[in-house]
Amino acid sequence: MNIKEVAKRAHVSTATVSRTINDPSKVKPHTAERVRKAIKDLNFYPNTHARTLVSGRSRMLGLIISDITNPFFPELVKSFEDQAVQRGQEVIIGNTDYKPKRMAGCIRRMLERKVDGVAILTSESDSELLAELTRRNIPMVLLDTVRSGAHSATVTVDYAQGIREALEHLFSLNHERIAFISGPLDLHSARVRRTAFVCGMKARGITIEPEMIEKGDHRIEGGLIAMKHLLGLKQPPTAVMASNDLTAIGALGAIHDAGLKVPDDISLIGFDDISFAHLTQPRLTTVLLSRTQIAMTAFAALQKLIANEKEQFDYTIPTHLVMRASTSAV
Amino acid sequence: MNIKEVAKRAHVSTATVSRTINDPSKVKPHTAERVRKAIKDLNFYPNTHARTLVSGRSRMLGLIISDITNPFFPELVKSFEDQAVQRGQEVIIGNTDYKPKRMAGCIRRMLERKVDGVAILTSESDSELLAELTRRNIPMVLLDTVRSGAHSATVTVDYAQGIREALEHLFSLNHERIAFISGPLDLHSARVRRTAFVCGMKARGITIEPEMIEKGDHRIEGGLIAMKHLLGLKQPPTAVMASNDLTAIGALGAIHDAGLKVPDDISLIGFDDISFAHLTQPRLTTVLLSRTQIAMTAFAALQKLIANEKEQFDYTIPTHLVMRASTSAV
DNA sequence: CTGTTAGCGCTTTCAT
DNA sequence: ATGAAAGCGCTAACAG
């Protein structure tokens, strides 16, 4: 079942069949109609591999993420894929599992499959590998990464905005003794969040005691342990900001375990607004970082790079406080 | 950068390069070594599309699921992909969004990309489309579906086992007034779970009052509403089984909203054991349905079909009760 | 507007 | 053990 059979059945050449598929304006409407009928009758689908081979464009995109089981990523993947499918493109996904080493394998796969472009939306990255992509002229979009040569664009998240809003909210509730549970500090995005917290506190004229900054790991466990430390202090905080929602959920568990209540005893704010954030008890006040928006922006940027429309190479995604039920006045 | 360049550099023909890549035993070790060096020097990756075109095998697998943002699926996708990548295969994912109609689009994409086989691990399915795959001799693996012609295998989940265990657990805790919140009954898997519940109760000699069976939608919202109805009864249940964890989480919310406590006032059991199930307050007792196991089984079955090893066509996945903190004696 | 034809990069007979 | 050459199914020049 191939284009030849269709051509035979429609009494035209294969070129005409190809044209009616790719650019019907080049074919007399009457002929096109006959071809379309033949295609339908034979239930014909063009072979994308043959297409790719001759045209050089695979209509496949690479999407590299850290870990699909991290609740941050599924929505991201979904909107990215939805857009791709809508435009007749296919997505192949690479998981780095947070190990920069695994990125190499992902990129090799993308290269082998001749993707038209790749979006690297992981938190970690490896400059050598990115150089390899640049060398091969593969358009790429990066998340939160400074580097941005030819054929590349960057999507930067404005983490600080949401954290400022969160702090203002806490200040308005008369909190001053506010602790922060950070993520793993080898992560750029974790460092940025902590810095934003420190700056926001300073701007308010509050000096942060060192014990008010705990280190977590962006997972439940780390939040739980960090919160236990915080509760063990002679003078515990009245409010806690967590570097992400999983951390906040861990902290919530620790607070419950200690027989205390959120928000009555301690106010708590997360970051990301993963879908579980409104399933906690109480529902978690958090900072929304729209995965859909990241995906759509990255996708659009990638398409522009692929189409070689040199317009914009830097995009910013805002973050905003979402008030729910885990904060109250002191 | 292609096989010709490699051939030139190694002073051999393209055929020899091809052989050293695909079956080195056909090449004199010394020659193979030279070719390998050329490949490395030039940083050459074979073009999979050209390969597919001539060999007829794409080394791509289709994986159709309902919705990646449903916490049931990410683990499934991850283990399936991990296995594929390990064997040098690529996975393309299709989301049906629970709409049987969208399945057609997914299958068309798979056909266009000439996948070597497809795993349809959705809850819903469409027999006409499956027939199309059968007609084209595409190996396929189905989940919980009776139909299983040539080139196809079925993975069946033993929902009843876990539900029996859950009921026995509740019986041992002296519960008798047990309600069930079902899923959408057009779903086969939802019907099976309800039936298992009814049978289990009957086996114990308990007659189920009609009001003890509520209908949900396998999402939070449905569980919340159903539980409200249950709490409004003149004689509410002492324990509730939910058709899945999201439903149980909704029910948990409704119980909290009513000022009651789990498990002190009402015991609650979920189904699936999604990762959030041990993050609830209290941690949810539920029935584990291993997504990893489904993925591994489906993957292995698909490989066998592709390799044409006609061995087994029916696989069963067990389910088991996981006791946590949402049940107690009446 | 339509047909002819030359590849795209690779694998695979068929010779040697 | 190796090379020459014929395609896999499609698109894109080039003619007409």
Side-chain angles (χ1 to χ4, degrees):
Chain A
M1 174 66 319
N2 55 25
I3 204 173
K4 244 177 172 169
E5 305 257 322
V6 178
K8 201 184 297 174
R9 192 178 169 103
H11 302 291
V12 294
S13 70
T14 61
T16 301
V17 177
S18 176
R19 287 195 275 262
T20 64
I21 292 170
N22 297 302
D23 188 356
S25 76
K26 288 182 179 166
V27 180
K28 191 162 66 172
H30 182 68
T31 318
E33 204 37 68
R34 231 174 44 233
V35 172
R36 267 192 285 271
K37 183 169 183 328
I39 288 177
K40 202 160 204 177
D41 289 352
L42 292 162
N43 214 339
F44 165 77
Y45 301 118
N47 181 324
T48 53
H49 302 284
R51 255 178 154 172
T52 298
L53 198 54
V54 54
S55 72
R57 290 177 45 248
S58 65
R59 297 165 200 240
M60 289 211 276
L61 264 24
L63 174 58
I64 303 185
I65 59 173
S66 299
D67 172 16
I68 185 77
T69 65
N70 175 331
F72 185 84
F73 290 105
E75 286 171 70
L76 186 48
V77 170
K78 189 179 192 181
S79 11
F80 196 92
E81 280 200 319
D82 278 357
Q83 303 217 31
V85 169
Q86 260 172 42
R87 305 181 55 147
Q89 300 174 121
E90 214 56 61
V91 175
I92 69 185
I93 296 177
N95 281 269
T96 64
D97 253 326
Y98 308 101
K99 297 170 192 132
K101 273 200 163 186
R102 286 202 42 173
M103 177 86 81
C106 291
I107 290 184
R108 214 179 57 93
R109 285 166 49 205
M110 310 281 157
L111 255 28
E112 278 179 356
R113 300 282 171 179
K114 296 273 180 288
V115 294
D116 293 335
V118 40
I120 304 184
L121 305 183
T122 55
S123 30
E124 69 286 347
S125 73
D126 180 317
S127 49
E128 272 193 53
L129 289 166
L130 302 186
E132 169 82 17
L133 289 172
T134 304
R135 205 173 316 128
R136 299 201 179 228
N137 279 341
I138 312 281
M140 63 179 156
V141 174
L142 270 16
L143 182 64
D144 278 342
T145 302
V146 205
R147 193 208 129 64
S148 182
H151 299 284
S152 77
T154 301
V155 175
T156 306
V157 176
D158 182 3
Y159 299 100
Q161 170 67 16
I163 288 180
R164 271 195 303 272
E165 289 181 17
L167 282 178
E168 271 159 36
H169 172 59
L170 289 177
F171 294 151
S172 77
L173 259 24
N174 302 319
H175 289 279
E176 290 224 323
R177 196 164 176 74
I178 306 170
F180 186 79
I181 305 179
S182 81
L185 295 174
D186 50 324
L187 236 63
H188 172 255
S189 70
R191 284 197 303 275
V192 175
R193 295 176 207 201
R194 193 189 53 168
T195 306
F197 171 79
V198 171
C199 292
M201 291 290 274
K202 274 198 185 139
R204 177 75 170 191
I206 303 174
T207 46
I208 310 171
E209 293 162 34
E211 69 215 33
M212 283 290 105
I213 298 200
E214 271 286 336
K215 195 179 153 205
D217 54 9
H218 273 181
R219 297 186 301 166
I220 312 259
E221 197 57 23
L224 195 117
I225 294 170
M227 192 66 223
K228 271 188 187 152
H229 290 174
L230 254 17
L231 291 172
L233 260 31
K234 50 232 148 272
Q235 207 185 337
T238 64
V240 175
M241 283 209 55
S243 187
N244 77 348
D245 286 342
L246 291 178
T247 303
I249 289 170
L252 188 60
I255 297 171
H256 271 124
D257 289 350
L260 298 172
K261 291 195 84 174
V262 171
D264 306 359
D265 301 304
I266 292 189
S267 287
L268 186 59
I269 298 185
F271 199 108
D272 282 348
D273 196 24
I274 59 177
S275 62
F276 290 154
H278 58 264
L279 306 184
T280 56
Q281 209 71 30
R283 285 154 65 235
L284 190 66
T285 291
T286 188
V287 174
L288 168 64
L289 166 49
S290 166
R291 269 80 69 197
T292 306
Q293 212 172 339
I294 293 180
M296 305 224 309
T297 307
F299 186 86
L302 197 51
Q303 296 299 330
K304 295 218 170 194
L305 286 175
I306 291 171
N308 228 324
E309 296 168 15
K310 300 174 191 278
E311 293 177 29
Q312 194 189 346
F313 300 108
D314 282 288
Y315 302 81
T316 301
I317 307 287
T319 60
H320 288 295
L321 183 68
V322 178
M323 282 188 236
R324 289 205 267 259
S326 66
T327 50
S328 71
V330 72
Chain B
M1 173 64 319
N2 56 26
I3 203 173
K4 243 178 172 168
E5 305 258 322
V6 177
K8 201 184 296 173
R9 191 177 169 103
H11 302 291
V12 294
S13 71
T14 61
T16 300
V17 177
S18 176
R19 286 187 196 109
T20 63
I21 292 171
N22 297 302
D23 188 356
S25 77
K26 288 181 179 167
V27 179
K28 193 162 63 171
H30 182 67
T31 318
E33 205 38 68
R34 232 175 43 236
V35 172
R36 267 193 284 272
K37 181 167 185 332
I39 288 177
K40 202 160 205 177
D41 288 352
L42 293 160
N43 213 340
F44 166 77
Y45 301 119
N47 181 324
T48 52
H49 302 284
R51 252 178 157 173
T52 298
L53 198 54
V54 54
S55 72
R57 290 177 46 248
S58 66
R59 298 166 199 238
M60 290 211 276
L61 264 22
L63 174 58
I64 303 186
I65 59 173
S66 298
D67 173 15
I68 186 78
T69 66
N70 175 331
F72 184 84
F73 289 105
E75 287 172 71
L76 186 48
V77 170
K78 188 178 193 183
S79 12
F80 196 91
E81 280 199 319
D82 279 357
Q83 303 217 28
V85 168
Q86 260 173 42
R87 305 181 54 146
Q89 299 174 120
E90 214 55 61
V91 175
I92 69 186
I93 296 177
N95 281 269
T96 64
D97 252 326
Y98 309 100
K99 296 171 192 132
K101 274 198 162 186
R102 286 202 40 174
M103 176 85 80
C106 292
I107 291 184
R108 214 179 56 93
R109 284 166 49 207
M110 310 280 156
L111 256 28
E112 279 178 355
R113 300 281 170 180
K114 295 275 179 289
V115 294
D116 293 335
V118 40
I120 304 184
L121 305 183
T122 56
S123 31
E124 70 285 346
S125 73
D126 179 316
S127 49
E128 272 193 54
L129 288 167
L130 302 186
E132 168 82 17
L133 289 172
T134 305
R135 205 174 315 127
R136 298 200 181 229
N137 280 340
I138 312 282
M140 64 180 156
V141 174
L142 271 15
L143 182 64
D144 278 342
T145 303
V146 204
R147 193 205 129 64
S148 182
H151 298 285
S152 77
T154 302
V155 175
T156 307
V157 175
D158 183 3
Y159 299 101
Q161 170 67 15
I163 289 180
R164 270 196 304 272
E165 289 181 17
L167 282 178
E168 272 160 35
H169 172 59
L170 288 177
F171 294 150
S172 77
L173 259 24
N174 302 320
H175 289 278
E176 290 225 322
R177 196 163 177 76
I178 305 170
F180 186 79
I181 306 178
S182 81
L185 295 174
D186 49 324
L187 236 63
H188 172 255
S189 71
R191 285 197 303 275
V192 174
R193 295 175 207 202
R194 193 189 54 168
T195 305
F197 171 79
V198 172
C199 291
M201 291 291 274
K202 273 196 183 139
R204 178 74 173 192
I206 302 175
T207 46
I208 310 171
E209 294 162 34
E211 68 215 32
M212 283 291 105
I213 298 202
E214 271 287 335
K215 196 180 152 205
D217 54 9
H218 272 181
R219 296 185 302 166
I220 312 257
E221 197 57 24
L224 195 119
I225 294 169
M227 192 67 223
K228 270 188 186 153
H229 291 172
L230 254 17
L231 290 172
L233 261 31
K234 46 229 150 279
Q235 208 184 337
T238 63
V240 175
M241 282 209 56
S243 187
N244 77 348
D245 286 341
L246 292 179
T247 303
I249 289 168
L252 188 59
I255 296 171
H256 271 124
D257 289 350
L260 298 173
K261 291 195 84 173
V262 171
D264 305 0
D265 301 304
I266 293 189
S267 288
L268 187 59
I269 298 184
F271 199 107
D272 281 348
D273 196 23
I274 58 176
S275 62
F276 197 62
H278 58 263
L279 307 185
T280 56
Q281 209 70 31
R283 285 153 66 232
L284 190 66
T285 291
T286 188
V287 174
L288 167 64
L289 167 48
S290 166
R291 270 79 69 196
T292 306
Q293 212 172 341
I294 293 179
M296 305 223 310
T297 307
F299 185 86
L302 197 51
Q303 297 299 330
K304 295 219 168 193
L305 287 174
I306 292 171
N308 229 323
E309 296 168 15
K310 300 173 191 281
E311 292 177 30
Q312 193 188 345
F313 301 107
D314 282 290
Y315 302 81
T316 302
I317 307 286
T319 60
H320 288 294
L321 184 68
V322 179
M323 282 190 236
R324 289 206 266 260
S326 66
T327 50
S328 71
V330 72

